[in-house]
Amino acid sequence: PEAIVVSELANRMAERVGDVVKSLMQMGMMVTQNQTIDADTAELIIEEFGHTVNRVSDADVEQVINEVQDKAEDLQPRPPVITIMGHVDHGKTSLLDAIRNAKVVAGEAGGITQHIGAYQVVTDTGAVLSFLDTPGHAAFTSMRSRGAQVTDIVVLVVAADDAVMPQTVEAINHAKAAKVPMIVAINKIDKPGANPDKVRTDLLQHEVIVEKMSGEVQDVEVSAINGDGLDDLLEAIALQSELLELKANPNRAAQGAVIEAQLDVGRGPVATVLIQNGTLRQGDIFVVGEQYGKVRALINDKGERIKEAGPSVPVEVLGLNGTPEAGDVLNVTSTEAQAREIAEYRSKAAKDKRAAAGAATTLEQLMANA
Ligand code: GDP
Ligand code: MG
């Protein structure tokens, strides 16, 4: 893995790029100014030019994270990531379960026993879909506020016997703010009092115009209880996904977002990570939020150990030094020193920020009490 472009290094040291290239040649490295060199080599050069090495700063963290700029030809199609949102009791959990149960082949290793906060299904037409098993606005917004936009498509569940309710409107607003396309799943159509058209007209008031009302938002009638319409819903998602032309580069250092994490008694800190770009492999060294580690094992949504996980694959990661938080971003780094330095830098920055916030409140309290 690379660390810094030669010209950029020269720039940061305020040295002539030709001199840096020459210096690298003297060290036996034939590189041009547009090539990248690893952090250790960069460090030698920095010392060579009499500068002090201050490896970790905001800029360096950025550098590590944006290390490789993907070229168009390196990008390959990736599965969509779907979040189910909607008002309480409209059937989010039931729908997630119904999709999982319908699409997980009976007898498949591990079955559906494992719960890792996300799962993948394959539709009858062969499309792979990744579902985030964390329905609820809290998860969606807290992830977003931490800078992790993981969802490509929102499925808005609206119960046909209840129509649009306050949390339906919240979900619409979240999806719009995040610029994530929506598909409306009109659920509970098996119920005697079901009125799907009321759902469609209610949605009009919130500027969601479904296809049946001559709009562009796909709407599908479903029943999470008897399974009606589930395949139609999956096909609607696959269609929406094709329109989005989602792509990633599987051949680069992995980047992912933590979906959930906990300290497991037997296994230590465990994080479920949704890979967003690149491929994560056993043995990879990484930084994730304020934690770092080396991948000891990867476990998929079926509870099977796997050697690697590519784009849009949800995977449990073992081998962390501590427990990260949902929404933290995972980045593979070249060296353990680099991962540790970035984690420590972030940890210190967060501590300073908390201390500053603490000092501010104390001051406010003093003023208030004066
Ligand atoms: P959530 O709060 O959105 O996750 O909703 P749940 O999935 O927990 O469902 C709330 C209730 O509605 C439960 O009692 C479900 O059994 C019921 N329910 C969910 N989907 C359907 C459906 O399609 N038809 C019927 N009749 N009941 C449903
Ligand atoms: Mg639920």
Side-chain angles (χ1 to χ4, degrees):
E2 298 127 345
I4 191 166
V5 177
V6 173
S7 60
E8 166 71 3
L9 176 63
N11 230 338
R12 284 204 211 165
M13 296 190 299
E15 297 287 353
R16 275 208 297 267
V17 68
D19 293 342
V20 176
V21 171
K22 204 153 87 190
S23 205
L24 281 161
M25 269 158 102
Q26 280 158 2
M27 285 168 56
M29 290 196 59
M30 299 303 172
V31 291
T32 67
Q33 57 170 317
N34 296 322
Q35 281 177 300
T36 43
I37 53 171
D38 64 39
D40 292 327
T41 309
E43 192 167 322
L44 289 175
I45 290 290
I46 293 166
E47 278 164 358
E48 175 87 4
F49 280 84
H51 298 284
T52 40
V53 181
N54 180 10
R55 221 142 102 165
V56 180
S57 68
D58 282 330
D60 292 340
V61 173
E62 280 291 301
Q63 172 72 27
V64 167
I65 287 166
N66 300 313
E67 219 167 75
V68 184
Q69 290 299 321
D70 296 313
K71 292 194 220 85
E73 66 257 34
D74 295 332
L75 297 174
Q76 293 176 25
R78 67 166 176 85
V81 179
I82 302 115
T83 301
I84 298 192
M85 295 176 92
H87 195 70
V88 65
D89 282 345
H90 279 198
K92 298 178 293 292
T93 304
S94 305
L95 204 53
L96 273 164
D97 289 348
I99 292 166
R100 176 162 36 197
N101 292 337
K103 291 296 153 191
V104 172
V105 183
E108 206 172 282
I112 52 164
T113 47
Q114 189 80 359
H115 172 89
I116 71 162
Y119 64 85
Q120 283 198 316
V121 298
V122 182
T123 69
D124 293 341
T125 54
V128 179
L129 313 176
S130 298
F131 283 88
L132 286 190
D133 195 2
T134 45
H137 308 185
F140 190 82
T141 40
S142 81
M143 299 271 281
R144 246 174 48 83
S145 71
R146 300 179 70 84
Q149 170 121 345
V150 288
T151 302
D152 300 306
I153 297 168
V154 165
V155 170
L156 180 71
V157 183
V158 191
D161 63 341
D162 205 23
V164 171
M165 298 302 278
Q167 285 166 287
T168 317
V169 179
E170 263 179 48
I172 293 169
N173 293 337
H174 286 319
K176 282 186 175 168
K179 296 192 171 62
V180 175
M182 252 182 309
I183 293 171
V184 177
I186 304 176
N187 191 31
K188 307 199 188 184
I189 49 153
D190 60 285
K191 281 192 132 182
N195 185 354
D197 280 331
K198 167 112 175 31
V199 174
R200 297 187 178 98
T201 46
D202 272 11
L203 286 171
L204 282 178
Q205 290 173 19
H206 303 279
E207 279 133 52
V208 177
I209 312 167
V210 298
E211 282 183 340
K212 200 159 176 226
M213 307 291 276
S214 306
E216 307 215 310
V217 177
Q218 296 190 81
D219 55 318
V220 187
E221 294 184 11
V222 297
S223 166
I225 292 298
N226 66 24
D228 281 351
L230 283 189
D231 282 331
D232 296 336
L233 176 61
L234 296 182
E235 285 319 313
I237 294 168
L239 184 70
Q240 179 66 63
S241 161
E242 274 175 37
L243 294 174
L244 292 173
E245 295 187 46
L246 303 165
K247 288 188 173 147
N249 175 8
N251 301 309
R252 58 161 288 171
Q255 183 184 315
V258 175
I259 304 302
E260 55 183 28
Q262 69 276 327
L263 186 61
D264 194 296
V265 178
R267 303 183 297 169
V270 180
T272 298
V273 175
L274 182 81
I275 306 300
Q276 296 181 288
N277 204 2
T279 299
L280 186 65
R281 295 191 173 82
Q282 214 172 301
D284 277 350
I285 294 159
F286 60 88
V287 55
V288 55
E290 297 173 34
Q291 314 300 334
Y292 65 97
K294 180 174 182 171
V295 179
R296 194 170 75 231
L298 295 171
I299 296 160
N300 71 9
D301 56 347
K302 297 175 191 72
E304 304 159 336
R305 273 187 78 147
I306 53 174
K307 289 224 159 61
E308 56 177 47
S312 298
V313 173
V315 68
E316 261 191 345
V317 179
L318 276 67
L320 294 125
N321 76 320
T323 313
E325 291 183 43
D328 278 347
V329 174
L330 176 147
N331 285 96
V332 167
T333 61
S334 350
T335 64
E336 186 169 330
Q338 196 181 30
R340 194 180 52 237
E341 278 167 20
I342 295 171
E344 281 167 2
Y345 172 81
R346 284 178 177 162
S347 174
K348 189 183 172 297
K351 216 156 131 198
D352 291 350
K353 209 170 148 189
R354 279 194 297 272
T361 26
T362 324
L363 194 61
E364 264 169 39
Q365 281 161 355
L366 276 175
M367 305 284 272
N369 291 340

